[in-house]
Amino acid sequence: MQVTINVTRSDIAWLNVSKLFCLKSNLRVFLIVLVVAAFFAWRGAVDDGGQFDWMVVALATVIGAVAGFSVIFLFSLIFVLFSSNAKSGVIGEHTYIIEDAGLREVTEANDTLVFWPSIQKVEKSKRSILVQINPWLFHVLPYRAFESAEQFDLFHSLVEKHYKEHSTDS
């Protein structure tokens, strides 16, 4: 079975937002920003010379961490969106073919076979099928690329079946 998809920048943006706190790397960045924000909030409270208020420090830390992480995330997302193009194989037409050996992706830039044991996770939502290759690489198969809900479900079930048969976790 195969499907041809036009991956757009909005698909890439949706993927990044949907995986924002699911990826360990993002959680690590948030914790680092939280520690830095806590240091500056604590230092500001100590340098103030007045009464030390833990609630103010905690609130300033959380607000600072959320703001800092949001800025980092937005800059990263903008960079990814502007650097993604069809020549790099990120956006544009993708054809996915389910083969016995793995999931083949064909784009203007590449023809890649990802072997079933190499796939880390397969997820399905109402919006798409996500095939996770490594912690930072996903194949996004939007629902709109399929002619019907039955084809969407069939493609997912075939990918899921091969993934589970070849999973090194089982």
Side-chain angles (χ1 to χ4, degrees), residues 21-32:
F21 287 107
C22 298
L23 299 177
K24 289 179 185 177
S25 59
N26 287 348
L27 292 175
R28 287 184 193 120
V29 169
F30 181 76
L31 289 175
I32 290 168

Side-chain angles (χ1 to χ4, degrees), residues 60-88:
T61 298
V62 171
I63 291 171
V66 169
F69 183 77
S70 298
V71 168
I72 292 169
F73 174 74
L74 286 174
F75 276 117
S76 298
L77 182 59
I78 289 167
F79 175 77
V80 166
L81 293 177
F82 279 110
S83 64
S84 298
N85 58 48
K87 287 185 179 183
S88 66

Side-chain angles (χ1 to χ4, degrees), residues 37-59:
F39 171 75
F40 283 108
W42 173 78
R43 185 162 174 177
V46 170
D47 289 346
D48 197 16
Q51 181 142 359
F52 191 78
D53 187 349
W54 282 106
M55 289 299 279
V56 171
V57 171
L59 186 61

